[in-house]
Amino acid sequence: MATTEYRSKVPFWRDPVKRGHLFQAAVLLTALAIGYTLFVNTQANLQRQSIATGFGFLEREAGFEIAEPPIPYSAADTYGRALLVGALNTLKVSSVGIFFSLILGTIIGISRLSHNWLVSRLSVAFIEVMQNIPVLLQLFFWYAIFYEAFPSPRQALNPLPGLFLCNRGLIFAVPAAHPSHVWMLAAAGVGIVGWFLLVRWGHRVQDRTGRLLPVHRMGMALTVLLPLAVWLLAGAPTAMDVPVLRGFNFRGGLTVSPEFSALLIGLILYTSAFVAEIVRAGIQAVSKGQIEAAMSIGLKPGQVLRLVVLPQALRVIIPPVTSQMLNLTKNSSLAIAIGYADFVSVANTTINQTGQAIEGVALIMLVYLFFSLSTSLFMNWYNKKMALVER
Amino acid sequence: MSDLIRDNEEIRPPVTKVGVLGWLRENLFNGWFNSLLTLATLYLLWLTIPPLVKWAFIESHWYTDPGVCREGGGACWSIIPKNVRFIFFGFFPEDQQWRPALTMILLVGLAFYSKDRRRWKKSLAVIWLVGILLMGWLMHGGLGLPVVETGKWSGLPLTLLLSFFGMVFAYPLGVLLALGRRSKLAAIKSMCVVYIELIRGVPLISLLFMSSVMFPLFLPEGVTFDKVLRAQVAIILFTAAYIAEVVRGGLQAIPKGQYEAADSLGLNYGKTMRLIILPQALKIVIPPTVGILISAFKDTSLVVIIALYDVLKTTKVTLSNPEWMGFSTEAYLFLAALYFVCCYAMSSYSRRLEKELNTGR
């Protein structure tokens, strides 16, 4: 009773709850007012410049070419399809980039902890240099290397048989198309599924009897041997599609353009330096006593790593590595600076041709938000799986 | 015992354990794997370093005409001294270039002056304010100096100004956003969450595009907004979201008892935050904050994409001059060194500051 009496005497601007409501209402109203003003201004501006709004332009003919599209595309296709090509290119460069930067980053992170003085110093130097130079400058650098330091196709560098480096990009031999390839791929898929099932079965056997089965070795053998068997059954085709110099350029083989290569090299080197630091911190976070305890109960070095060190290190490593993966995806938008047709680059061309700036920028943001959110959803799921289960 | 060790003779460790030999054994050749690794690394270095040294120093040119460079095989560093005025100052009128030069000296000097923590007083803020006004006057002109429009501001001063003001304005905004995200007021909290997640989910260039193509549409007819300023706003908005997340981490690390203690003293929200929580939280997050600031400094280079002439763009313009075409490697290496020195200085300063501030905890 006393409190309500007391409360009623407090003027409303001194009551934290009411003051909170008032403050929120003020902020919301301000935000709405700003939003409304912007909306009205934009409407007026668009009308004055007679720009149509809406996404109708996606159906219109794009009229520009895209080099090396991952799906069939020509200038006669729509803006919608052009943007799809751009999105697929972004997906391509970021997934390949993430894959390699995780591998390279792990190697360098472990090297930094090496007892070998030379190796650890070199890793430190690599990390410092790569982290402290803007990624855009690195992209320009690699792109310039392709066009200025590498010779023309006639004098192409040939470091390995079947691999050529020249100012037209990276050209290498691939196995000649053969109907058995599809079946080999299918066999590899069956092998991976079998591996997965074997691991589950192995766990069950271990839970029941305590016996450890070499499931990983069996699974690996399955994944390698099944496609090999298919290949042998198909008569072991060994024909290779080797690039040959014809006139001014190479024919055959697989060509990776300088734009794609420069983008990929730059992104991988830049991101792997950050991943390396994360991996190092993660490994250092595992206390020495854990490793000593694991060794004292007689685990082999491989088991110590797999059963004791990695599960604890990964807990520390996964969240920051996830943001590095997202950073790489976002940085791939710099492709526009060196002329690789990623999503931003295609969207920018679209904006310039149609004048639909708002829709274009909104599309760019939506696509990247989609990539970011789906990556972080997946990684959060994985993180939860690996996280420490506490009471 | 005394039989074994005679008076004046000191028993020294074996020669393979100390000195150069011992160090080599300990650090490079302990075990077959490490020895192999060392030899492989040395071989790789042998393959790369001598040709690189030959290219960069022995056969290089330092102050010649491009023609001479083309004949010789080595690096053509001449591109830097011959074009340094344009690379550094861009389109700033040539007879006025002492002004941006002085601005940069002022900025770097002020930064160096504020390095010492004993000088962190109210007077420092006044010095900075005067300094910023002076810089603005030097760059823009007026009051006796010819006016130079912002469209002509380019090169290194533009890079430094964009990143400096980006950091200065993004930091308080980021702190506010972090407080908002931790706030109990639902509307404020959700607005901050949406803002932070939205900005962190998109690449910086999409914001720069927004500033260059969408901003003009937002403004009422007749009002125009400077292009440099628009890019600056985009950089601030972007950096603030990242700083907010870092500061949030710091806020989460403050134990609940600190809040309760502040409450029991009868402090209100503002005082609690200003006197108790933020000083501790901001101190904890110095290293990641500097990390964000370093990325902000590097990310300023992205204004190239919306055709602002920062130092990277002026270098590219120099390279597109037919006379100097083909020497990109040298020019980019020079720029890389420039960026490296700045970023490295920032990160090593942060490490020192962290050590100095590491009093309690």
Side-chain angles (χ1 to χ4, degrees), chain A residues 24 41-42 45 48 115-117 122 128 131-132 136 140 144 148 270 330 333 344 368 372, chain B residues 27-28 34 38 41 185-187 200-201 203 205 217-221 242 298 326 328 343:
Chain A
Q24 291 190 72
N41 281 340
T42 313
N45 281 322
R48 206 156 34 79
H115 292 299
N116 191 316
W117 181 84
L122 277 177
E128 288 291 343
Q131 282 192 342
N132 286 328
L136 185 62
F140 282 145
E148 287 173 10
Y270 184 74
K330 283 184 278 173
S333 62
V344 171
Y368 279 93
S372 300
Chain B
N27 292 301
L28 295 178
N34 251 337
T38 304
T41 318
L185 308 176
R200 276 162 31 99
I205 43 175
L217 291 177
F218 286 160
L219 298 171
E221 197 180 344
Y242 281 82
K298 287 185 293 177
S328 314
C343 295

mmCIF file of all heavy atoms in Angstrom, chain A residues 24 41-42 45 48 115-117 122 128 131-132 136 140 144 148 270 330 333 344 368 372, chain B residues 27-28 34 38 41 185-187 200-201 203 205 217-221 242 298 326 328 343:
data_model
loop_
_atom_site.group_PDB
_atom_site.id
_atom_site.type_symbol
_atom_site.label_atom_id
_atom_site.label_comp_id
_atom_site.label_asym_id
_atom_site.label_seq_id
_atom_site.Cartn_x
_atom_site.Cartn_y
_atom_site.Cartn_z
ATOM 1 N N GLN A 24 11.334 5.650 -25.587
ATOM 2 C CA GLN A 24 11.195 4.768 -26.746
ATOM 3 C C GLN A 24 10.247 5.364 -27.768
ATOM 4 O O GLN A 24 10.519 5.326 -28.982
ATOM 5 C CB GLN A 24 10.661 3.411 -26.303
ATOM 6 C CG GLN A 24 11.655 2.637 -25.497
ATOM 7 C CD GLN A 24 11.190 1.220 -25.290
ATOM 8 O OE1 GLN A 24 11.209 0.438 -26.227
ATOM 9 N NE2 GLN A 24 10.760 0.895 -24.101
ATOM 10 N N ASN A 41 10.883 12.310 -50.305
ATOM 11 C CA ASN A 41 11.931 12.880 -51.165
ATOM 12 C C ASN A 41 12.241 11.954 -52.323
ATOM 13 O O ASN A 41 12.342 12.380 -53.475
ATOM 14 C CB ASN A 41 13.222 13.067 -50.358
ATOM 15 C CG ASN A 41 13.148 14.300 -49.497
ATOM 16 O OD1 ASN A 41 12.336 15.184 -49.754
ATOM 17 N ND2 ASN A 41 13.981 14.356 -48.484
ATOM 18 N N THR A 42 12.411 10.662 -51.997
ATOM 19 C CA THR A 42 12.790 9.702 -53.023
ATOM 20 C C THR A 42 11.708 9.618 -54.093
ATOM 21 O O THR A 42 12.010 9.618 -55.294
ATOM 22 C CB THR A 42 13.006 8.317 -52.391
ATOM 23 O OG1 THR A 42 13.808 8.479 -51.238
ATOM 24 C CG2 THR A 42 13.683 7.388 -53.343
ATOM 25 N N ASN A 45 11.941 12.626 -56.272
ATOM 26 C CA ASN A 45 13.126 12.565 -57.126
ATOM 27 C C ASN A 45 12.952 11.578 -58.266
ATOM 28 O O ASN A 45 13.314 11.858 -59.408
ATOM 29 C CB ASN A 45 14.352 12.170 -56.307
ATOM 30 C CG ASN A 45 14.904 13.341 -55.534
ATOM 31 O OD1 ASN A 45 14.914 14.467 -56.041
ATOM 32 N ND2 ASN A 45 15.331 13.103 -54.317
ATOM 33 N N ARG A 48 10.646 12.956 -60.844
ATOM 34 C CA ARG A 48 11.284 14.009 -61.622
ATOM 35 C C ARG A 48 12.232 13.415 -62.661
ATOM 36 O O ARG A 48 12.322 13.863 -63.783
ATOM 37 C CB ARG A 48 12.048 14.935 -60.671
ATOM 38 C CG ARG A 48 12.230 16.325 -61.170
ATOM 39 C CD ARG A 48 12.442 17.288 -60.013
ATOM 40 N NE ARG A 48 13.170 16.671 -58.907
ATOM 41 C CZ ARG A 48 14.502 16.490 -58.878
ATOM 42 N NH1 ARG A 48 15.221 16.915 -59.882
ATOM 43 N NH2 ARG A 48 15.075 15.924 -57.856
ATOM 44 N N HIS A 115 58.450 -25.847 -33.483
ATOM 45 C CA HIS A 115 59.678 -25.645 -32.728
ATOM 46 C C HIS A 115 60.800 -25.211 -33.643
ATOM 47 O O HIS A 115 61.872 -24.832 -33.187
ATOM 48 C CB HIS A 115 60.055 -26.934 -31.999
ATOM 49 C CG HIS A 115 59.087 -27.272 -30.908
ATOM 50 N ND1 HIS A 115 58.881 -26.449 -29.842
ATOM 51 C CD2 HIS A 115 58.233 -28.311 -30.768
ATOM 52 C CE1 HIS A 115 57.960 -26.974 -29.069
ATOM 53 N NE2 HIS A 115 57.535 -28.104 -29.609
ATOM 54 N N ASN A 116 60.556 -25.332 -34.948
ATOM 55 C CA ASN A 116 61.569 -24.927 -35.912
ATOM 56 C C ASN A 116 61.552 -23.404 -36.035
ATOM 57 O O ASN A 116 60.579 -22.818 -36.485
ATOM 58 C CB ASN A 116 61.251 -25.577 -37.264
ATOM 59 C CG ASN A 116 62.384 -25.435 -38.231
ATOM 60 O OD1 ASN A 116 62.974 -24.366 -38.343
ATOM 61 N ND2 ASN A 116 62.691 -26.506 -38.920
ATOM 62 N N TRP A 117 62.657 -22.781 -35.617
ATOM 63 C CA TRP A 117 62.725 -21.322 -35.554
ATOM 64 C C TRP A 117 62.447 -20.688 -36.914
ATOM 65 O O TRP A 117 61.656 -19.754 -37.038
ATOM 66 C CB TRP A 117 64.114 -20.911 -35.055
ATOM 67 C CG TRP A 117 64.307 -19.445 -34.913
ATOM 68 C CD1 TRP A 117 63.954 -18.685 -33.834
ATOM 69 C CD2 TRP A 117 64.876 -18.546 -35.864
ATOM 70 N NE1 TRP A 117 64.279 -17.376 -34.052
ATOM 71 C CE2 TRP A 117 64.843 -17.260 -35.290
ATOM 72 C CE3 TRP A 117 65.414 -18.706 -37.138
ATOM 73 C CZ2 TRP A 117 65.325 -16.138 -35.951
ATOM 74 C CZ3 TRP A 117 65.888 -17.585 -37.797
ATOM 75 C CH2 TRP A 117 65.845 -16.319 -37.208
ATOM 76 N N LEU A 122 59.010 -17.457 -40.345
ATOM 77 C CA LEU A 122 58.435 -17.209 -41.675
ATOM 78 C C LEU A 122 56.917 -17.090 -41.592
ATOM 79 O O LEU A 122 56.322 -16.246 -42.262
ATOM 80 C CB LEU A 122 58.822 -18.338 -42.639
ATOM 81 C CG LEU A 122 60.196 -18.207 -43.270
ATOM 82 C CD1 LEU A 122 60.474 -19.416 -44.145
ATOM 83 C CD2 LEU A 122 60.297 -16.942 -44.093
ATOM 84 N N GLU A 128 51.918 -11.189 -40.562
ATOM 85 C CA GLU A 128 51.979 -9.738 -40.386
ATOM 86 C C GLU A 128 51.798 -9.008 -41.718
ATOM 87 O O GLU A 128 51.053 -8.042 -41.814
ATOM 88 C CB GLU A 128 53.314 -9.332 -39.757
ATOM 89 C CG GLU A 128 53.443 -9.694 -38.292
ATOM 90 C CD GLU A 128 52.521 -8.873 -37.398
ATOM 91 O OE1 GLU A 128 52.024 -7.829 -37.839
ATOM 92 O OE2 GLU A 128 52.296 -9.290 -36.254
ATOM 93 N N GLN A 131 48.129 -9.423 -43.114
ATOM 94 C CA GLN A 131 47.084 -8.757 -42.337
ATOM 95 C C GLN A 131 47.135 -7.249 -42.465
ATOM 96 O O GLN A 131 46.124 -6.581 -42.286
ATOM 97 C CB GLN A 131 47.228 -9.130 -40.860
ATOM 98 C CG GLN A 131 46.701 -10.492 -40.540
ATOM 99 C CD GLN A 131 46.603 -10.701 -39.043
ATOM 100 O OE1 GLN A 131 47.218 -9.993 -38.279
ATOM 101 N NE2 GLN A 131 45.831 -11.691 -38.649
ATOM 102 N N ASN A 132 48.323 -6.705 -42.737
ATOM 103 C CA ASN A 132 48.470 -5.253 -42.668
ATOM 104 C C ASN A 132 48.416 -4.565 -44.022
ATOM 105 O O ASN A 132 48.738 -3.382 -44.113
ATOM 106 C CB ASN A 132 49.762 -4.893 -41.938
ATOM 107 C CG ASN A 132 49.633 -5.136 -40.450
ATOM 108 O OD1 ASN A 132 48.552 -4.993 -39.893
ATOM 109 N ND2 ASN A 132 50.707 -5.527 -39.807
ATOM 110 N N LEU A 136 42.187 -5.015 -51.143
ATOM 111 C CA LEU A 136 41.993 -4.475 -52.491
ATOM 112 C C LEU A 136 43.336 -4.259 -53.175
ATOM 113 O O LEU A 136 43.512 -4.582 -54.358
ATOM 114 C CB LEU A 136 41.218 -3.159 -52.410
ATOM 115 C CG LEU A 136 40.839 -2.548 -53.740
ATOM 116 C CD1 LEU A 136 39.925 -3.462 -54.508
ATOM 117 C CD2 LEU A 136 40.170 -1.199 -53.546
ATOM 118 N N PHE A 140 44.743 -5.927 -56.675
ATOM 119 C CA PHE A 140 45.347 -5.188 -57.785
ATOM 120 C C PHE A 140 46.727 -5.738 -58.090
ATOM 121 O O PHE A 140 47.109 -5.882 -59.253
ATOM 122 C CB PHE A 140 45.473 -3.702 -57.440
ATOM 123 C CG PHE A 140 44.187 -2.941 -57.554
ATOM 124 C CD1 PHE A 140 43.890 -1.912 -56.679
ATOM 125 C CD2 PHE A 140 43.270 -3.245 -58.555
ATOM 126 C CE1 PHE A 140 42.709 -1.207 -56.777
ATOM 127 C CE2 PHE A 140 42.086 -2.534 -58.663
ATOM 128 C CZ PHE A 140 41.807 -1.520 -57.781
ATOM 129 N N ALA A 144 47.850 -7.373 -61.555
ATOM 130 C CA ALA A 144 48.930 -6.772 -62.340
ATOM 131 C C ALA A 144 49.996 -7.814 -62.658
ATOM 132 O O ALA A 144 50.552 -7.827 -63.758
ATOM 133 C CB ALA A 144 49.548 -5.606 -61.578
ATOM 134 N N GLU A 148 51.270 -8.289 -66.290
ATOM 135 C CA GLU A 148 52.558 -7.675 -66.610
ATOM 136 C C GLU A 148 53.729 -8.627 -66.470
ATOM 137 O O GLU A 148 54.674 -8.564 -67.248
ATOM 138 C CB GLU A 148 52.786 -6.441 -65.731
ATOM 139 C CG GLU A 148 51.895 -5.312 -66.172
ATOM 140 C CD GLU A 148 51.957 -4.136 -65.234
ATOM 141 O OE1 GLU A 148 52.831 -4.137 -64.348
ATOM 142 O OE2 GLU A 148 51.131 -3.235 -65.387
ATOM 143 N N TYR A 270 44.947 -13.402 -48.016
ATOM 144 C CA TYR A 270 44.537 -12.440 -46.995
ATOM 145 C C TYR A 270 43.806 -13.137 -45.850
ATOM 146 O O TYR A 270 44.144 -12.994 -44.686
ATOM 147 C CB TYR A 270 43.636 -11.392 -47.646
ATOM 148 C CG TYR A 270 43.190 -10.266 -46.743
ATOM 149 C CD1 TYR A 270 44.064 -9.266 -46.370
ATOM 150 C CD2 TYR A 270 41.882 -10.194 -46.291
ATOM 151 C CE1 TYR A 270 43.656 -8.222 -45.568
ATOM 152 C CE2 TYR A 270 41.461 -9.150 -45.488
ATOM 153 C CZ TYR A 270 42.353 -8.169 -45.132
ATOM 154 O OH TYR A 270 41.940 -7.153 -44.327
ATOM 155 N N LYS A 330 32.143 -11.568 -48.161
ATOM 156 C CA LYS A 330 31.874 -10.155 -48.411
ATOM 157 C C LYS A 330 33.004 -9.509 -49.209
ATOM 158 O O LYS A 330 32.752 -8.690 -50.092
ATOM 159 C CB LYS A 330 31.664 -9.425 -47.077
ATOM 160 C CG LYS A 330 30.294 -9.697 -46.476
ATOM 161 C CD LYS A 330 30.071 -8.912 -45.221
ATOM 162 C CE LYS A 330 30.712 -9.608 -44.055
ATOM 163 N NZ LYS A 330 30.658 -8.812 -42.827
ATOM 164 N N SER A 333 33.214 -9.333 -52.991
ATOM 165 C CA SER A 333 32.541 -8.281 -53.748
ATOM 166 C C SER A 333 33.535 -7.317 -54.374
ATOM 167 O O SER A 333 33.182 -6.548 -55.264
ATOM 168 C CB SER A 333 31.589 -7.519 -52.837
ATOM 169 O OG SER A 333 32.308 -6.894 -51.817
ATOM 170 N N VAL A 344 27.993 -8.273 -57.295
ATOM 171 C CA VAL A 344 28.048 -6.814 -57.188
ATOM 172 C C VAL A 344 28.380 -6.188 -58.537
ATOM 173 O O VAL A 344 27.798 -5.174 -58.934
ATOM 174 C CB VAL A 344 29.079 -6.399 -56.122
ATOM 175 C CG1 VAL A 344 29.302 -4.914 -56.142
ATOM 176 C CG2 VAL A 344 28.612 -6.831 -54.758
ATOM 177 N N TYR A 368 23.703 -10.730 -50.114
ATOM 178 C CA TYR A 368 24.768 -10.946 -49.133
ATOM 179 C C TYR A 368 24.202 -11.303 -47.766
ATOM 180 O O TYR A 368 24.776 -12.118 -47.046
ATOM 181 C CB TYR A 368 25.701 -9.739 -49.052
ATOM 182 C CG TYR A 368 26.691 -9.788 -50.178
ATOM 183 C CD1 TYR A 368 26.442 -9.135 -51.368
ATOM 184 C CD2 TYR A 368 27.839 -10.548 -50.072
ATOM 185 C CE1 TYR A 368 27.324 -9.212 -52.413
ATOM 186 C CE2 TYR A 368 28.724 -10.634 -51.116
ATOM 187 C CZ TYR A 368 28.464 -9.966 -52.286
ATOM 188 O OH TYR A 368 29.327 -10.065 -53.323
ATOM 189 N N SER A 372 25.211 -14.540 -45.752
ATOM 190 C CA SER A 372 25.718 -14.416 -44.381
ATOM 191 C C SER A 372 24.867 -15.215 -43.425
ATOM 192 O O SER A 372 25.378 -15.981 -42.603
ATOM 193 C CB SER A 372 25.707 -12.962 -43.932
ATOM 194 O OG SER A 372 26.497 -12.189 -44.768
ATOM 195 N N ASN B 27 67.057 -25.168 -32.202
ATOM 196 C CA ASN B 27 65.963 -24.519 -32.911
ATOM 197 C C ASN B 27 65.751 -24.987 -34.345
ATOM 198 O O ASN B 27 64.705 -24.767 -34.908
ATOM 199 C CB ASN B 27 66.174 -23.012 -32.922
ATOM 200 C CG ASN B 27 66.034 -22.431 -31.540
ATOM 201 O OD1 ASN B 27 64.987 -22.567 -30.926
ATOM 202 N ND2 ASN B 27 67.096 -21.848 -31.041
ATOM 203 N N LEU B 28 66.782 -25.555 -34.938
ATOM 204 C CA LEU B 28 66.610 -25.915 -36.346
ATOM 205 C C LEU B 28 66.771 -27.401 -36.621
ATOM 206 O O LEU B 28 66.203 -27.924 -37.558
ATOM 207 C CB LEU B 28 67.609 -25.130 -37.212
ATOM 208 C CG LEU B 28 67.400 -23.621 -37.235
ATOM 209 C CD1 LEU B 28 68.470 -22.977 -38.091
ATOM 210 C CD2 LEU B 28 66.034 -23.259 -37.759
ATOM 211 N N ASN B 34 62.473 -32.029 -38.140
ATOM 212 C CA ASN B 34 62.797 -30.615 -38.148
ATOM 213 C C ASN B 34 63.971 -30.316 -39.056
ATOM 214 O O ASN B 34 63.997 -29.283 -39.732
ATOM 215 C CB ASN B 34 63.122 -30.165 -36.724
ATOM 216 C CG ASN B 34 62.022 -29.284 -36.186
ATOM 217 O OD1 ASN B 34 61.284 -28.698 -36.966
ATOM 218 N ND2 ASN B 34 61.922 -29.207 -34.880
ATOM 219 N N THR B 38 63.874 -27.727 -42.068
ATOM 220 C CA THR B 38 64.802 -26.610 -42.172
ATOM 221 C C THR B 38 65.467 -26.607 -43.547
ATOM 222 O O THR B 38 65.537 -25.571 -44.216
ATOM 223 C CB THR B 38 65.890 -26.726 -41.086
ATOM 224 O OG1 THR B 38 65.244 -26.798 -39.843
ATOM 225 C CG2 THR B 38 66.817 -25.546 -41.126
ATOM 226 N N THR B 41 63.042 -25.536 -46.232
ATOM 227 C CA THR B 41 62.759 -24.103 -46.178
ATOM 228 C C THR B 41 63.944 -23.311 -46.711
ATOM 229 O O THR B 41 63.778 -22.361 -47.478
ATOM 230 C CB THR B 41 62.465 -23.671 -44.727
ATOM 231 O OG1 THR B 41 61.655 -24.652 -44.131
ATOM 232 C CG2 THR B 41 61.789 -22.346 -44.693
ATOM 233 N N LEU B 185 15.010 -1.564 -22.923
ATOM 234 C CA LEU B 185 13.886 -0.997 -23.670
ATOM 235 C C LEU B 185 13.757 -1.730 -25.005
ATOM 236 O O LEU B 185 14.663 -1.676 -25.841
ATOM 237 C CB LEU B 185 14.129 0.497 -23.919
ATOM 238 C CG LEU B 185 14.474 1.304 -22.669
ATOM 239 C CD1 LEU B 185 14.798 2.736 -23.038
ATOM 240 C CD2 LEU B 185 13.323 1.250 -21.677
ATOM 241 N N ALA B 186 12.654 -2.430 -25.207
ATOM 242 C CA ALA B 186 12.524 -3.355 -26.333
ATOM 243 C C ALA B 186 12.683 -2.654 -27.683
ATOM 244 O O ALA B 186 13.372 -3.163 -28.567
ATOM 245 C CB ALA B 186 11.170 -4.054 -26.253
ATOM 246 N N ALA B 187 12.065 -1.489 -27.829
ATOM 247 C CA ALA B 187 12.104 -0.823 -29.134
ATOM 248 C C ALA B 187 13.525 -0.412 -29.483
ATOM 249 O O ALA B 187 13.997 -0.642 -30.610
ATOM 250 C CB ALA B 187 11.198 0.403 -29.118
ATOM 251 N N ARG B 200 26.486 -5.534 -40.672
ATOM 252 C CA ARG B 200 27.556 -6.522 -40.648
ATOM 253 C C ARG B 200 27.349 -7.616 -41.686
ATOM 254 O O ARG B 200 28.285 -8.326 -42.037
ATOM 255 C CB ARG B 200 27.687 -7.132 -39.255
ATOM 256 C CG ARG B 200 28.542 -6.288 -38.338
ATOM 257 C CD ARG B 200 28.326 -6.622 -36.897
ATOM 258 N NE ARG B 200 27.979 -8.001 -36.655
ATOM 259 C CZ ARG B 200 28.844 -8.935 -36.267
ATOM 260 N NH1 ARG B 200 30.082 -8.637 -36.059
ATOM 261 N NH2 ARG B 200 28.430 -10.159 -36.060
ATOM 262 N N GLY B 201 26.124 -7.744 -42.158
ATOM 263 C CA GLY B 201 25.855 -8.801 -43.128
ATOM 264 C C GLY B 201 26.146 -8.412 -44.565
ATOM 265 O O GLY B 201 26.115 -9.258 -45.441
ATOM 266 N N PRO B 203 28.547 -6.281 -47.611
ATOM 267 C CA PRO B 203 29.897 -5.767 -47.827
ATOM 268 C C PRO B 203 29.925 -4.235 -47.805
ATOM 269 O O PRO B 203 28.913 -3.592 -48.094
ATOM 270 C CB PRO B 203 30.278 -6.297 -49.200
ATOM 271 C CG PRO B 203 29.026 -6.713 -49.847
ATOM 272 C CD PRO B 203 28.010 -6.940 -48.792
ATOM 273 N N ILE B 205 31.250 -2.246 -49.846
ATOM 274 C CA ILE B 205 30.986 -1.532 -51.104
ATOM 275 C C ILE B 205 29.510 -1.367 -51.369
ATOM 276 O O ILE B 205 29.132 -0.412 -52.033
ATOM 277 C CB ILE B 205 31.655 -2.107 -52.366
ATOM 278 C CG1 ILE B 205 31.592 -3.579 -52.464
ATOM 279 C CG2 ILE B 205 33.006 -1.650 -52.555
ATOM 280 C CD1 ILE B 205 32.174 -3.991 -53.808
ATOM 281 N N LEU B 217 19.145 10.430 -54.100
ATOM 282 C CA LEU B 217 17.698 10.295 -54.283
ATOM 283 C C LEU B 217 16.930 10.612 -52.999
ATOM 284 O O LEU B 217 15.774 11.001 -53.040
ATOM 285 C CB LEU B 217 17.349 8.868 -54.735
ATOM 286 C CG LEU B 217 17.796 8.469 -56.130
ATOM 287 C CD1 LEU B 217 17.443 7.015 -56.382
ATOM 288 C CD2 LEU B 217 17.125 9.351 -57.166
ATOM 289 N N PHE B 218 17.600 10.432 -51.860
ATOM 290 C CA PHE B 218 16.931 10.649 -50.581
ATOM 291 C C PHE B 218 16.713 12.128 -50.286
ATOM 292 O O PHE B 218 15.850 12.482 -49.490
ATOM 293 C CB PHE B 218 17.760 10.073 -49.428
ATOM 294 C CG PHE B 218 17.733 8.568 -49.358
ATOM 295 C CD1 PHE B 218 18.716 7.874 -48.677
ATOM 296 C CD2 PHE B 218 16.715 7.851 -49.958
ATOM 297 C CE1 PHE B 218 18.690 6.502 -48.603
ATOM 298 C CE2 PHE B 218 16.683 6.485 -49.891
ATOM 299 C CZ PHE B 218 17.669 5.807 -49.214
ATOM 300 N N LEU B 219 17.548 12.969 -50.874
ATOM 301 C CA LEU B 219 17.553 14.375 -50.468
ATOM 302 C C LEU B 219 16.510 15.164 -51.240
ATOM 303 O O LEU B 219 16.189 14.845 -52.382
ATOM 304 C CB LEU B 219 18.936 14.966 -50.713
ATOM 305 C CG LEU B 219 20.037 14.295 -49.906
ATOM 306 C CD1 LEU B 219 21.389 14.780 -50.351
ATOM 307 C CD2 LEU B 219 19.836 14.556 -48.427
ATOM 308 N N PRO B 220 15.962 16.218 -50.609
ATOM 309 C CA PRO B 220 14.995 17.050 -51.325
ATOM 310 C C PRO B 220 15.644 17.735 -52.525
ATOM 311 O O PRO B 220 16.868 17.880 -52.587
ATOM 312 C CB PRO B 220 14.563 18.069 -50.274
ATOM 313 C CG PRO B 220 15.514 17.949 -49.150
ATOM 314 C CD PRO B 220 16.130 16.610 -49.223
ATOM 315 N N GLU B 221 14.813 18.127 -53.435
ATOM 316 C CA GLU B 221 15.298 18.708 -54.685
ATOM 317 C C GLU B 221 16.188 19.914 -54.400
ATOM 318 O O GLU B 221 15.889 20.748 -53.544
ATOM 319 C CB GLU B 221 14.106 19.133 -55.537
ATOM 320 C CG GLU B 221 14.488 19.347 -56.970
ATOM 321 C CD GLU B 221 13.289 19.773 -57.796
ATOM 322 O OE1 GLU B 221 12.157 19.609 -57.329
ATOM 323 O OE2 GLU B 221 13.509 20.270 -58.902
ATOM 324 N N TYR B 242 30.626 -2.614 -36.397
ATOM 325 C CA TYR B 242 31.643 -3.561 -35.938
ATOM 326 C C TYR B 242 32.122 -3.198 -34.539
ATOM 327 O O TYR B 242 32.330 -4.070 -33.690
ATOM 328 C CB TYR B 242 32.813 -3.594 -36.921
ATOM 329 C CG TYR B 242 32.496 -4.428 -38.125
ATOM 330 C CD1 TYR B 242 31.764 -3.922 -39.175
ATOM 331 C CD2 TYR B 242 32.902 -5.749 -38.188
ATOM 332 C CE1 TYR B 242 31.441 -4.689 -40.268
ATOM 333 C CE2 TYR B 242 32.596 -6.534 -39.276
ATOM 334 C CZ TYR B 242 31.858 -6.002 -40.318
ATOM 335 O OH TYR B 242 31.533 -6.778 -41.375
ATOM 336 N N LYS B 298 42.332 0.146 -43.497
ATOM 337 C CA LYS B 298 42.573 -0.563 -44.760
ATOM 338 C C LYS B 298 41.364 -0.437 -45.688
ATOM 339 O O LYS B 298 41.522 -0.300 -46.900
ATOM 340 C CB LYS B 298 42.851 -2.044 -44.474
ATOM 341 C CG LYS B 298 44.194 -2.299 -43.870
ATOM 342 C CD LYS B 298 44.473 -3.773 -43.726
ATOM 343 C CE LYS B 298 43.578 -4.417 -42.715
ATOM 344 N NZ LYS B 298 43.781 -5.868 -42.621
ATOM 345 N N GLY B 326 53.032 -0.546 -66.922
ATOM 346 C CA GLY B 326 53.834 -1.763 -66.837
ATOM 347 C C GLY B 326 54.715 -1.825 -65.612
ATOM 348 O O GLY B 326 55.445 -2.784 -65.416
ATOM 349 N N SER B 328 53.455 -1.689 -62.460
ATOM 350 C CA SER B 328 52.498 -1.813 -61.353
ATOM 351 C C SER B 328 53.120 -2.456 -60.126
ATOM 352 O O SER B 328 52.854 -2.041 -59.007
ATOM 353 C CB SER B 328 51.315 -2.669 -61.767
ATOM 354 O OG SER B 328 50.860 -2.304 -63.007
ATOM 355 N N CYS B 343 49.650 0.384 -40.392
ATOM 356 C CA CYS B 343 48.896 -0.623 -39.652
ATOM 357 C C CYS B 343 49.756 -1.257 -38.575
ATOM 358 O O CYS B 343 49.289 -1.514 -37.460
ATOM 359 C CB CYS B 343 48.390 -1.711 -40.595
ATOM 360 S SG CYS B 343 47.218 -1.121 -41.781
#
